[in-house]
């Protein structure tokens, strides 16, 4: 049985990312499972090796270790292409020539999406004729690839949220620049790495039905899921650079120690008292996913020191 943490190396990890990583690590180690780190470096513009190196240093600094080599998604495009070919074998993958602006205007004009939840892609390119596709190719815009769905609903039980369900839409599988989309890559990699325990922020809860659908179509076992509430700034918005010193490096520069960060994370998860300063290893025996806080937590005052 295997857990994982899979950040995108487009910058340094902030306090919320580190908190999620801690929960993922504790969830695996509490059950004596393996723990993997995977770099989801699909963003060919912003993902940088130096960001990945900094993220790994920060994970190690707060006490997180991992098993085996760190996997890079940028080295696995051939695996995603194989999955695309399997999905397309029955005609369920189609070309989409819509730009983001096109889609936004189409969504605004449509009362509802016929093959997905409100606000999802309205299926403009689902049933183009051969001649219409040829016309769009001749215009020079490369297509994205989407999965043809019928608005199916998928249900699952989250280890913290409980029973959850949601519809799926015609999700993008490969962008029009040829880069595999997150929703495809994460499902393929979790399957190939035998991940059985997924811990991530609850901003991804609504994407989980898409992943269940892709798992079923690709014959991949569905892992257990645990979506934890995010860390917010004092304004109630999701933690961001605008809130102050949010990365480990910035916090150190502002006088906050790594031990202070670990202590705050432990207390924010109800795993330590107000007088304790525990290490991560000391928290392993206390971890109970059902006892984790179910609401977003406000970032500590020390992030505003700069």
């Amino acid at each position: 049985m295997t857990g994982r943490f899979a950040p995108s190396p487009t910058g340094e990890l902030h306090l919320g990312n580190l908190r999620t990583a801690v929960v993922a690590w504790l969830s695996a180690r509490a059950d004596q499972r393996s723990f993997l780190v995977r770099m989801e470096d699909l963003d060919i513009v912003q993902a940088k090796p130096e960001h990945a190196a900094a993220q790994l240093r920060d994970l190690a600094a707060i006490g997180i270790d991992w098993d085996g080599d760190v996997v890079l998604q940028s080295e696995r495009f051939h695996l995603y292409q194989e999955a695309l070919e399997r999905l397309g074998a029955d005609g369920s993958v189609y070309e989409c020539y819509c730009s983001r602006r096109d889609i936004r205007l189409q969504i605004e004009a449509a009362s509802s999406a016929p093959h997905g939840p409100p606000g999802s892609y309205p299926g403009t390119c689902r049933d183009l004729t051969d001649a219409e596709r040829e016309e769009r190719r001749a215009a020079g815009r490369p297509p994205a690839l989407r999965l043809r769905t019928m608005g199916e609903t998928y249900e699952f039980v989250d280890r913290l949220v409980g029973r959850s369900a949601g519809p799926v839409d015609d999700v993008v599988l490969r962008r029009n620049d040829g880069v595999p989309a997150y929703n495809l890559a994460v499902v393929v990699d979790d399957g190939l790495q035998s991940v059985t325990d997924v811990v991530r922020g609850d901003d991804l809860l609504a994407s989980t039905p898409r992943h269940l659908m892709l798992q079923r179509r690709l014959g991949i076992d569905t892992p257990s899921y645990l979506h934890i509430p995010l860390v917010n700034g004092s304004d109630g918005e999701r933690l961001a650079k605008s809130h102050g010193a949010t990365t480990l490096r910035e916090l150190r520069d502002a006088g906050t120690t790594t031990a202070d960060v670990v202590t705050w994370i432990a207390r924010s998860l109800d795993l330590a008292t107000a007088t304790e300063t525990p290490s991560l290893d000391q928290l392993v025996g206390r971890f109970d996913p059902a006892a984790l806080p179910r609401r977003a937590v406000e970032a500590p005052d020390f992030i505003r020191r700069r």
Side-chain angles (χ1 to χ4, degrees):
M1 301 182 70
T2 304
R4 54 83 161 168
F5 179 60
S8 298
T10 55
E12 296 177 79
L13 297 173
H14 62 56
L15 190 62
N17 304 137
L18 293 172
R19 184 173 182 264
T20 300
V22 166
V23 177
W25 183 84
L26 288 173
S27 180
R29 296 311 194 206
D31 289 335
Q32 299 183 328
R33 290 194 288 256
S34 298
F35 182 71
L36 309 177
V37 172
R38 180 173 71 233
M39 287 292 164
E40 298 191 337
D41 57 344
L42 294 176
D43 188 330
I44 58 179
V45 175
Q46 297 189 59
K48 305 291 183 184
E50 55 267 33
H51 295 325
Q55 290 182 355
L56 294 176
R57 285 197 300 270
D58 285 352
L59 293 176
I62 64 172
I64 289 177
D65 62 348
W66 53 90
D67 301 292
D69 295 331
V70 174
V71 165
L72 304 178
Q73 286 189 330
S74 59
E75 297 177 350
R76 298 163 70 84
F77 277 29
H78 64 290
L79 299 173
Y80 312 136
Q81 180 59 34
E82 290 173 5
L84 265 175
E85 292 170 0
R86 289 170 57 194
L87 290 168
D90 61 358
S92 61
V93 174
Y94 67 91
E95 296 176 349
C96 175
Y97 294 88
C98 299
S99 67
R100 290 184 179 180
R101 181 177 181 275
D102 293 337
I103 295 171
R104 185 180 71 253
L105 293 175
Q106 292 159 11
I107 290 173
E108 291 172 354
S111 59
S112 63
H115 302 288
S120 61
Y121 178 67
T124 307
C125 293
R126 280 175 61 93
D127 299 309
L128 295 178
T129 65
D130 290 343
E132 287 171 329
R133 278 193 293 272
E134 187 57 39
E135 179 183 352
R136 285 159 174 76
R137 292 189 191 111
R141 180 175 177 80
L145 296 181
R146 290 182 180 271
L147 183 65
R148 188 185 303 274
T149 66
M150 296 304 295
E152 302 97 323
T153 294
Y154 285 81
E155 184 177 283
F156 63 100
V157 178
D158 184 274
R159 290 197 291 156
L160 181 62
V161 178
R163 190 168 299 278
S164 184
V168 296
D169 56 357
D170 287 10
V171 63
V172 171
L173 301 175
R174 192 182 71 195
R175 301 181 339 203
N176 68 353
D177 60 2
V179 175
Y182 161 78
N183 287 302
L184 175 66
V186 69
V187 167
V188 171
D189 284 332
D190 282 347
L192 291 175
Q193 292 189 280
S194 300
V195 171
T196 58
D197 181 16
V198 172
V199 175
R200 57 193 184 189
D202 63 5
D203 55 325
L204 289 170
L205 184 68
S207 293
T208 306
R210 296 171 172 171
H211 301 167
L212 299 178
M213 172 190 63
L214 286 167
Q215 288 156 3
R216 182 170 298 181
R217 294 201 182 188
L218 289 168
I220 293 172
D221 291 338
T222 295
S224 70
Y225 286 98
L226 194 164
H227 291 84
I228 67 168
L230 302 179
V231 176
N232 291 337
S234 57
D235 56 1
E237 297 297 319
R238 181 176 175 178
L239 190 64
K241 291 181 180 180
S242 60
H243 289 112
T246 61
T247 70
L248 201 56
R249 176 183 57 80
E250 291 170 338
L251 290 167
R252 285 169 174 159
D253 291 345
T256 301
T257 68
T258 301
D260 291 334
V261 171
V262 172
T263 297
W264 177 83
I265 291 174
R267 292 174 183 173
S268 78
L269 296 170
D270 293 339
L271 293 175
T273 67
T275 59
E276 289 181 290
T277 56
S279 67
L280 291 193
D281 285 337
Q282 292 174 304
L283 303 181
V284 173
R286 307 179 187 182
F287 183 77
D288 177 4
L292 292 172
R294 295 173 181 265
R295 287 189 283 186
V297 62
E298 184 176 323
D301 290 339
F302 60 60
I303 72 165
R304 289 185 279 278
R305 297 181 203 153
R306 248 187 158 155

